[in-house]
Amino acid sequence: RFEKFARSEKWSYKSPNAAGPAVALLEHGEFISGDEKKRLFNASDVLCFPSYYRAEATPTVILDALSHGLPVISTAWRGIPELLPEKGIEPCEIRSPSQVAERLLASLDVCNWSDYREQYISKFSLPVFLDKTAAALAEACEETASTRAKQARIVIFAHTPPPVHGQSLMVQSMLEGISKLSSSVGPGAFPLRVFHVDARLSSGIDDVGVGSPLKFIRLLRYCAEAIWHRVAHRADILYYIPAPAKATPILRDCVAMALLRPVFPKRIYQHRAMGLGLWMKSPGRTVFERAGQAATSRLLGEPNLSMVLTPAGVSDAEPFRPRRIVVVPNGKADPCPDYNEAILPARVRRFESRTAAFGKTEHRRENRDRNGPSYDMLFLGLCKRSKGLFDALETVEACRQEL
Protein backbone atom coordinates (compact mmCIF):
# COMPACT_ATOMS: atom_id res chain seq x y z
CA ARG A 1 0.00 0.00 0.00
CA PHE A 2 2.78 2.42 0.85
CA GLU A 3 4.67 1.74 -2.38
CA LYS A 4 1.48 2.36 -4.36
CA PHE A 5 0.94 5.62 -2.49
CA ALA A 6 4.57 6.67 -3.07
CA ARG A 7 4.21 6.04 -6.79
CA SER A 8 1.01 8.09 -6.89
CA GLU A 9 2.95 10.94 -5.28
CA LYS A 10 5.78 10.47 -7.80
CA TRP A 11 8.27 9.79 -5.01
CA SER A 12 11.13 7.39 -5.43
CA TYR A 13 14.40 7.34 -3.53
CA LYS A 14 17.21 4.83 -3.65
CA SER A 15 20.06 4.66 -1.23
CA PRO A 16 23.34 5.48 -3.00
CA ASN A 17 25.08 2.63 -1.14
CA ALA A 18 22.36 0.01 -0.96
CA ALA A 19 20.18 -1.90 -3.36
CA GLY A 20 16.98 -1.41 -1.36
CA PRO A 21 14.79 1.69 -1.15
CA ALA A 22 14.85 4.15 1.70
CA VAL A 23 11.78 2.51 3.21
CA ALA A 24 13.85 -0.52 4.25
CA LEU A 25 13.79 0.54 7.92
CA LEU A 26 10.16 1.67 7.87
CA GLU A 27 7.45 0.23 10.07
CA HIS A 28 4.15 1.47 8.68
CA GLY A 29 1.14 1.58 10.99
CA GLU A 30 -2.51 2.45 10.63
CA PHE A 31 -4.56 5.03 12.52
CA ILE A 32 -3.76 4.84 16.22
CA SER A 33 -5.19 6.35 19.39
CA GLY A 34 -5.44 5.75 23.12
CA ASP A 35 -3.04 3.30 24.76
CA GLU A 36 -1.42 2.32 21.46
CA LYS A 37 -0.62 5.95 20.71
CA LYS A 38 0.90 6.40 24.18
CA ARG A 39 2.96 3.22 23.76
CA LEU A 40 4.32 4.43 20.43
CA PHE A 41 5.34 7.84 21.78
CA ASN A 42 7.03 6.27 24.80
CA ALA A 43 8.89 3.72 22.67
CA SER A 44 10.28 6.38 20.32
CA ASP A 45 13.33 8.57 20.76
CA VAL A 46 12.33 11.56 18.63
CA LEU A 47 9.36 12.87 16.66
CA CYS A 48 10.33 13.92 13.15
CA PHE A 49 7.64 16.15 11.66
CA PRO A 50 9.15 18.24 8.82
CA SER A 51 5.83 19.71 7.70
CA TYR A 52 5.23 22.48 5.17
CA TYR A 53 1.48 21.86 4.91
CA ARG A 54 -0.13 25.09 3.69
CA ALA A 55 -2.77 25.30 6.44
CA GLU A 56 -0.48 24.12 9.28
CA ALA A 57 -0.94 26.07 12.50
CA THR A 58 -0.06 24.21 15.71
CA PRO A 59 0.06 20.48 14.92
CA THR A 60 -1.56 18.36 17.62
CA VAL A 61 1.07 15.67 17.14
CA ILE A 62 3.74 18.07 18.41
CA LEU A 63 1.66 18.75 21.54
CA ASP A 64 1.38 14.97 21.96
CA ALA A 65 5.17 14.65 21.77
CA LEU A 66 5.72 17.47 24.26
CA SER A 67 3.34 15.86 26.74
CA HIS A 68 5.36 12.62 26.53
CA GLY A 69 8.68 14.44 26.96
CA LEU A 70 9.65 13.34 23.45
CA PRO A 71 12.16 15.54 21.58
CA VAL A 72 10.81 17.09 18.38
CA ILE A 73 12.57 17.99 15.17
CA SER A 74 10.39 20.02 12.85
CA THR A 75 10.40 23.00 10.51
CA ALA A 76 10.39 26.77 10.85
CA TRP A 77 6.94 26.82 9.26
CA ARG A 78 3.81 28.73 10.30
CA GLY A 79 3.26 28.45 14.07
CA ILE A 80 5.50 25.42 14.66
CA PRO A 81 8.59 27.22 16.11
CA GLU A 82 6.41 28.78 18.81
CA LEU A 83 5.50 25.32 20.12
CA LEU A 84 9.05 24.20 20.76
CA PRO A 85 11.17 24.84 23.88
CA GLU A 86 14.04 27.33 23.65
CA LYS A 87 16.58 24.62 24.47
CA GLY A 88 15.08 22.13 22.03
CA ILE A 89 16.30 21.10 18.59
CA GLU A 90 16.40 24.15 16.31
CA PRO A 91 13.67 24.06 13.61
CA CYS A 92 14.85 23.32 10.08
CA GLU A 93 14.15 24.86 6.72
CA ILE A 94 11.29 23.25 4.82
CA ARG A 95 12.02 20.59 2.19
CA SER A 96 15.50 20.03 3.62
CA PRO A 97 15.94 16.38 4.73
CA SER A 98 19.72 16.80 4.85
CA GLN A 99 19.41 19.60 7.41
CA VAL A 100 16.88 17.58 9.41
CA ALA A 101 19.34 14.66 9.45
CA GLU A 102 22.23 16.92 10.48
CA ARG A 103 20.34 18.33 13.45
CA LEU A 104 18.95 14.95 14.38
CA LEU A 105 22.44 13.44 14.52
CA ALA A 106 23.66 16.40 16.58
CA SER A 107 20.93 15.72 19.14
CA LEU A 108 21.68 12.02 19.71
CA ASP A 109 23.78 12.74 22.79
CA VAL A 110 21.33 15.27 24.26
CA CYS A 111 18.91 14.15 26.94
CA ASN A 112 16.74 17.21 27.65
CA TRP A 113 13.41 15.38 27.76
CA SER A 114 12.23 17.45 30.73
CA ASP A 115 12.49 20.67 28.70
CA TYR A 116 9.88 19.31 26.30
CA ARG A 117 7.66 18.07 29.09
CA GLU A 118 7.86 21.42 30.91
CA GLN A 119 6.95 23.24 27.68
CA TYR A 120 3.74 21.21 27.59
CA ILE A 121 2.89 21.67 31.27
CA SER A 122 3.44 25.44 31.29
CA LYS A 123 1.90 26.37 27.93
CA PHE A 124 -0.21 23.60 26.38
CA SER A 125 -1.78 21.59 29.18
CA LEU A 126 -5.56 21.36 29.34
CA PRO A 127 -5.98 23.61 32.42
CA VAL A 128 -3.96 26.39 30.73
CA PHE A 129 -5.98 26.00 27.51
CA LEU A 130 -9.34 26.03 29.29
CA ASP A 131 -8.49 28.98 31.52
CA LYS A 132 -7.41 31.11 28.57
CA THR A 133 -10.32 30.02 26.38
CA ALA A 134 -12.95 30.60 29.06
CA ALA A 135 -11.42 33.97 29.97
CA ALA A 136 -11.39 35.12 26.32
CA LEU A 137 -14.97 33.99 25.73
CA ALA A 138 -16.24 35.48 28.98
CA GLU A 139 -14.54 38.82 28.34
CA ALA A 140 -15.94 38.97 24.82
CA CYS A 141 -19.40 38.08 26.07
CA GLU A 142 -19.32 40.87 28.65
CA GLU A 143 -19.35 43.33 25.75
CA THR A 144 -22.49 41.83 24.19
CA ALA A 145 -26.17 42.42 24.68
CA SER A 146 -26.55 38.99 26.29
CA THR A 147 -25.01 40.28 29.50
CA ARG A 148 -28.42 41.65 30.37
CA ALA A 149 -29.16 38.03 31.22
CA LYS A 150 -27.45 36.23 34.07
CA GLN A 151 -25.43 34.14 31.61
CA ALA A 152 -24.07 34.95 28.18
CA ARG A 153 -25.50 32.55 25.62
CA ILE A 154 -23.19 31.30 22.90
CA VAL A 155 -23.69 28.89 19.99
CA ILE A 156 -20.53 26.91 19.17
CA PHE A 157 -20.76 26.01 15.49
CA ALA A 158 -18.01 23.40 15.13
CA HIS A 159 -17.75 19.64 14.91
CA THR A 160 -16.15 17.08 17.20
CA PRO A 161 -14.69 13.69 16.09
CA PRO A 162 -15.22 11.88 13.81
CA PRO A 163 -13.38 12.56 11.59
CA VAL A 164 -10.40 12.81 13.90
CA HIS A 165 -7.98 15.67 13.30
CA GLY A 166 -6.42 18.43 15.36
CA GLN A 167 -9.29 20.89 15.03
CA SER A 168 -12.06 18.45 15.96
CA LEU A 169 -10.06 17.17 18.95
CA MET A 170 -9.50 20.69 20.25
CA VAL A 171 -13.20 21.51 19.90
CA GLN A 172 -14.00 18.36 21.87
CA SER A 173 -11.52 19.32 24.59
CA MET A 174 -12.96 22.83 24.78
CA LEU A 175 -16.56 21.62 25.10
CA GLU A 176 -15.70 19.00 27.70
CA GLY A 177 -13.63 21.49 29.66
CA ILE A 178 -16.31 24.18 29.65
CA SER A 179 -18.83 21.58 30.80
CA LYS A 180 -16.56 20.61 33.73
CA LEU A 181 -15.93 24.23 34.66
CA SER A 182 -19.64 24.93 34.56
CA SER A 183 -20.42 21.90 36.75
CA SER A 184 -17.74 22.84 39.26
CA VAL A 185 -19.27 26.23 40.07
CA GLY A 186 -22.87 25.10 40.24
CA PRO A 187 -25.98 25.63 38.10
CA GLY A 188 -26.32 29.13 36.66
CA ALA A 189 -23.11 30.45 38.25
CA PHE A 190 -20.86 29.96 35.22
CA PRO A 191 -20.84 33.10 33.01
CA LEU A 192 -21.42 31.16 29.78
CA ARG A 193 -24.31 29.03 28.63
CA VAL A 194 -23.19 26.98 25.64
CA PHE A 195 -25.28 25.44 22.86
CA HIS A 196 -23.35 23.16 20.53
CA VAL A 197 -24.13 22.64 16.84
CA ASP A 198 -22.04 19.63 15.81
CA ALA A 199 -21.52 20.87 12.25
CA ARG A 200 -19.99 17.67 10.87
CA LEU A 201 -19.92 17.93 7.08
CA SER A 202 -17.31 15.28 6.24
CA SER A 203 -17.85 11.54 6.61
CA GLY A 204 -14.14 10.73 6.93
CA ILE A 205 -10.70 12.28 6.83
CA ASP A 206 -10.43 11.76 3.05
CA ASP A 207 -13.66 13.71 2.62
CA VAL A 208 -12.42 16.86 4.39
CA GLY A 209 -12.33 19.89 2.10
CA VAL A 210 -14.20 18.17 -0.73
CA GLY A 211 -17.48 19.70 -1.87
CA SER A 212 -20.69 17.77 -2.55
CA PRO A 213 -24.47 18.40 -2.73
CA LEU A 214 -24.92 16.31 0.43
CA LYS A 215 -22.54 18.58 2.34
CA PHE A 216 -24.50 21.62 1.17
CA ILE A 217 -27.72 20.10 2.50
CA ARG A 218 -26.01 19.27 5.81
CA LEU A 219 -24.72 22.84 6.06
CA LEU A 220 -28.22 24.24 5.61
CA ARG A 221 -29.51 21.92 8.33
CA TYR A 222 -26.77 22.94 10.76
CA CYS A 223 -27.42 26.63 10.07
CA ALA A 224 -31.12 26.05 10.76
CA GLU A 225 -30.17 24.40 14.07
CA ALA A 226 -28.02 27.40 15.04
CA ILE A 227 -30.86 29.80 14.16
CA TRP A 228 -33.22 27.70 16.28
CA HIS A 229 -30.91 28.18 19.29
CA ARG A 230 -30.90 31.89 18.56
CA VAL A 231 -34.70 32.05 18.64
CA ALA A 232 -35.51 29.45 21.29
CA HIS A 233 -32.71 30.26 23.77
CA ARG A 234 -31.93 33.88 22.82
CA ALA A 235 -28.32 32.91 22.15
CA ASP A 236 -26.92 35.95 20.37
CA ILE A 237 -23.21 35.04 20.17
CA LEU A 238 -21.85 32.77 17.45
CA TYR A 239 -18.53 30.93 17.79
CA TYR A 240 -17.18 29.92 14.37
CA ILE A 241 -13.96 28.45 12.95
CA PRO A 242 -13.02 30.05 9.60
CA ALA A 243 -11.67 27.86 6.83
CA PRO A 244 -8.10 27.65 5.58
CA ALA A 245 -7.28 29.19 2.20
CA LYS A 246 -9.02 26.53 0.10
CA ALA A 247 -11.81 27.22 -2.36
CA THR A 248 -14.47 24.76 -1.18
CA PRO A 249 -14.16 25.50 2.58
CA ILE A 250 -14.14 29.26 1.87
CA LEU A 251 -17.36 28.87 -0.15
CA ARG A 252 -18.82 26.98 2.84
CA ASP A 253 -17.93 29.88 5.13
CA CYS A 254 -19.56 32.40 2.81
CA VAL A 255 -22.79 30.38 2.64
CA ALA A 256 -22.86 29.86 6.42
CA MET A 257 -22.19 33.52 7.20
CA ALA A 258 -24.74 34.72 4.63
CA LEU A 259 -27.33 32.80 6.68
CA LEU A 260 -26.00 33.32 10.21
CA ARG A 261 -24.52 36.81 10.20
CA PRO A 262 -27.90 38.60 9.97
CA VAL A 263 -29.22 36.49 12.86
CA PHE A 264 -26.30 36.63 15.31
CA PRO A 265 -25.33 40.21 16.24
CA LYS A 266 -22.08 39.08 17.90
CA ARG A 267 -19.48 36.74 16.45
CA ILE A 268 -16.31 35.12 17.80
CA TYR A 269 -13.84 33.47 15.42
CA GLN A 270 -11.23 30.88 16.33
CA HIS A 271 -8.60 30.68 13.58
CA ARG A 272 -7.29 27.11 13.78
CA ALA A 273 -5.60 26.93 10.38
CA MET A 274 -3.11 29.33 8.83
CA GLY A 275 -2.88 30.85 5.38
CA LEU A 276 -6.28 32.54 5.07
CA GLY A 277 -4.93 36.01 5.86
CA LEU A 278 -2.14 35.63 3.30
CA TRP A 279 -4.72 34.75 0.64
CA MET A 280 -6.93 37.68 1.63
CA LYS A 281 -4.01 40.11 1.28
CA SER A 282 -2.77 38.69 -2.02
CA PRO A 283 -3.82 40.21 -5.36
CA GLY A 284 -6.48 37.98 -6.88
CA ARG A 285 -5.29 36.24 -10.04
CA THR A 286 -8.73 36.11 -11.64
CA VAL A 287 -12.01 38.01 -11.50
CA PHE A 288 -13.56 35.06 -9.65
CA GLU A 289 -10.81 35.00 -7.03
CA ARG A 290 -11.09 38.74 -6.42
CA ALA A 291 -14.85 38.36 -6.08
CA GLY A 292 -14.28 35.54 -3.57
CA GLN A 293 -11.92 37.72 -1.53
CA ALA A 294 -14.44 40.57 -1.49
CA ALA A 295 -17.30 38.29 -0.47
CA THR A 296 -15.22 36.64 2.26
CA SER A 297 -14.18 40.03 3.64
CA ARG A 298 -17.77 41.27 3.66
CA LEU A 299 -19.42 38.18 5.13
CA LEU A 300 -16.76 37.31 7.72
CA GLY A 301 -15.71 40.86 8.51
CA GLU A 302 -15.78 42.75 11.82
CA PRO A 303 -16.18 40.01 14.43
CA ASN A 304 -16.25 41.02 18.07
CA LEU A 305 -13.29 38.76 18.85
CA SER A 306 -10.76 36.72 16.91
CA MET A 307 -8.78 34.05 18.75
CA VAL A 308 -5.55 32.77 17.20
CA LEU A 309 -3.29 29.93 18.29
CA THR A 310 0.06 31.72 18.11
CA PRO A 311 1.32 35.28 17.54
CA ALA A 312 2.10 34.18 13.96
CA GLY A 313 -1.64 33.61 13.49
CA VAL A 314 -2.51 37.27 14.05
CA SER A 315 -1.98 37.88 10.33
CA ASP A 316 -4.89 35.53 9.59
CA ALA A 317 -7.28 37.54 11.74
CA GLU A 318 -6.24 41.08 10.78
CA PRO A 319 -7.84 41.21 7.28
CA PHE A 320 -11.27 40.70 8.88
CA ARG A 321 -10.95 43.81 11.08
CA PRO A 322 -11.90 42.27 14.45
CA ARG A 323 -12.50 44.51 17.43
CA ARG A 324 -9.98 42.49 19.40
CA ILE A 325 -7.44 39.71 18.79
CA VAL A 326 -6.23 37.38 21.54
CA VAL A 327 -3.73 34.52 21.45
CA VAL A 328 -5.16 31.31 22.94
CA PRO A 329 -2.80 28.35 22.37
CA ASN A 330 -4.12 24.84 21.89
CA GLY A 331 -4.06 22.44 24.80
CA LYS A 332 -4.78 18.82 25.57
CA ALA A 333 -5.36 16.54 28.52
CA ASP A 334 -2.22 15.04 30.04
CA PRO A 335 -1.80 11.47 28.76
CA CYS A 336 1.19 10.91 31.06
CA PRO A 337 0.39 11.65 34.69
CA ASP A 338 2.98 8.95 35.47
CA TYR A 339 5.72 10.73 33.50
CA ASN A 340 8.18 11.25 36.37
CA GLU A 341 7.64 7.80 37.90
CA ALA A 342 7.58 5.61 34.77
CA ILE A 343 8.24 7.33 31.46
CA LEU A 344 11.27 9.49 32.32
CA PRO A 345 13.18 6.64 34.04
CA ALA A 346 12.52 4.42 31.00
CA ARG A 347 13.92 7.10 28.68
CA VAL A 348 17.01 7.45 30.87
CA ARG A 349 17.63 3.68 30.89
CA ARG A 350 17.26 3.46 27.11
CA PHE A 351 19.62 6.40 26.58
CA GLU A 352 22.25 4.98 28.94
CA SER A 353 21.99 1.52 27.40
CA ARG A 354 22.44 2.88 23.88
CA THR A 355 25.37 5.08 24.93
CA ALA A 356 27.05 2.13 26.68
CA ALA A 357 26.68 -0.01 23.56
CA PHE A 358 27.59 2.48 20.83
CA GLY A 359 29.39 5.32 22.59
CA LYS A 360 28.99 8.97 21.70
CA THR A 361 27.89 10.01 18.22
CA GLU A 362 31.42 10.37 16.82
CA HIS A 363 32.16 6.72 17.70
CA ARG A 364 28.90 5.14 16.55
CA ARG A 365 29.97 4.32 13.00
CA GLU A 366 32.89 2.21 14.24
CA ASN A 367 30.66 0.58 16.90
CA ARG A 368 27.55 0.03 14.77
CA ASP A 369 27.93 -3.78 14.72
CA ARG A 370 27.44 -3.98 18.48
CA ASN A 371 24.14 -4.98 20.00
CA GLY A 372 22.08 -2.27 21.67
CA PRO A 373 18.83 -0.33 21.49
CA SER A 374 18.12 1.31 18.15
CA TYR A 375 17.36 5.01 17.85
CA ASP A 376 13.69 5.08 16.83
CA MET A 377 12.30 8.05 14.93
CA LEU A 378 8.54 8.58 14.85
CA PHE A 379 6.52 10.24 12.11
CA LEU A 380 2.83 10.51 12.95
CA GLY A 381 0.42 12.38 10.72
CA LEU A 382 -1.59 12.33 7.55
CA CYS A 383 0.16 10.57 4.68
CA LYS A 384 0.78 13.69 2.62
CA ARG A 385 3.95 14.91 0.95
CA SER A 386 3.49 18.38 2.46
CA LYS A 387 3.20 16.91 5.97
CA GLY A 388 6.84 15.89 5.55
CA LEU A 389 6.37 12.15 5.14
CA PHE A 390 8.90 11.67 2.35
CA ASP A 391 11.33 14.15 3.90
CA ALA A 392 11.20 12.05 7.08
CA LEU A 393 12.05 8.91 5.11
CA GLU A 394 14.96 10.63 3.39
CA THR A 395 16.13 11.79 6.81
CA VAL A 396 16.23 8.16 7.97
CA GLU A 397 18.31 7.20 4.96
CA ALA A 398 20.72 10.14 5.44
CA CYS A 399 21.23 9.20 9.12
CA ARG A 400 21.67 5.57 8.15
CA GLN A 401 24.45 6.42 5.73
CA GLU A 402 26.15 8.69 8.24
CA LEU A 403 26.07 6.09 11.01
Side-chain angles (χ1 to χ4, degrees), residues 33-271:
S33 62
D35 290 341
E36 176 60 18
K37 185 177 181 180
K38 181 176 180 178
R39 184 202 65 77
L40 192 59
F41 273 105
N42 291 337
S44 301
D45 295 294
V46 68
L47 173 73
C48 182
F49 192 71
S51 175
Y52 50 95
Y53 182 59
R54 61 183 292 186
E56 200 75 85
T58 56
T60 306
V61 67
I62 293 183
L63 302 188
D64 283 324
L66 296 178
S67 67
H68 289 80
L70 183 67
V72 177
I73 183 163
S74 191
T75 48
W77 178 250
R78 305 297 198 200
I80 291 176
E82 296 169 52
L83 301 181
L84 305 176
E86 290 185 7
K87 297 180 180 179
I89 303 173
E90 183 181 356
C92 303
E93 298 175 7
I94 62 172
R95 302 185 183 92
S96 182
S98 60
Q99 188 180 77
V100 176
E102 178 184 331
R103 292 189 180 164
L104 184 61
L105 290 170
S107 72
L108 292 181
D109 298 326
V110 179
C111 48
N112 60 335
W113 310 288
S114 295
D115 290 336
Y116 290 90
R117 173 70 178 177
E118 178 56 32
Q119 180 80 346
Y120 160 74
I121 294 294
S122 62
K123 295 184 178 180
F124 305 112
S125 60
L126 189 59
V128 173
F129 167 67
L130 291 177
D131 286 347
K132 290 187 176 182
T133 300
L137 292 177
E139 186 174 345
C141 292
E142 286 177 2
E143 302 170 359
T144 70
S146 63
T147 54
R148 289 194 297 266
K150 188 174 182 180
Q151 290 178 301
R153 297 177 174 91
I154 181 171
V155 173
I156 294 183
F157 194 95
H159 82 87
T160 56
V164 178
H165 49 72
Q167 177 178 300
S168 64
L169 289 171
M170 289 303 108
V171 170
Q172 184 179 56
S173 293
M174 179 180 68
L175 289 168
E176 292 175 351
I178 290 176
S179 177
K180 291 179 180 178
L181 287 174
S182 178
S183 300
S184 67
V185 298
F190 194 65
L192 303 178
R193 186 178 177 190
V194 172
F195 304 93
H196 180 219
V197 176
D198 195 3
R200 183 180 297 117
L201 300 179
S202 301
S203 302
I205 195 67
D206 293 333
D207 193 33
V208 173
V210 179
S212 72
L214 178 59
K215 284 189 175 183
F216 181 72
I217 294 171
R218 288 174 180 167
L219 178 61
L220 295 180
R221 178 167 64 84
Y222 294 136
C223 288
E225 183 181 344
I227 293 171
W228 182 83
H229 285 302
R230 170 71 177 113
V231 174
H233 302 292
R234 292 180 295 169
D236 59 352
I237 308 165
L238 178 70
Y239 170 100
Y240 192 84
I241 301 177
K246 296 182 180 180
T248 300
I250 288 174
L251 178 60
R252 175 206 69 200
D253 283 358
C254 288
V255 172
M257 285 298 110
L259 296 171
L260 299 176
R261 183 185 177 104
V263 179
F264 288 90
K266 310 297 178 181
R267 286 159 292 114
I268 296 173
Y269 296 156
Q270 172 80 78
H271 292 269

Side-chain angles (χ1 to χ4, degrees), residues 280-291:
M280 289 291 294
K281 295 174 183 177
S282 66
R285 292 169 293 181
T286 66
V287 173
F288 296 106
E289 185 174 11
R290 289 193 292 272

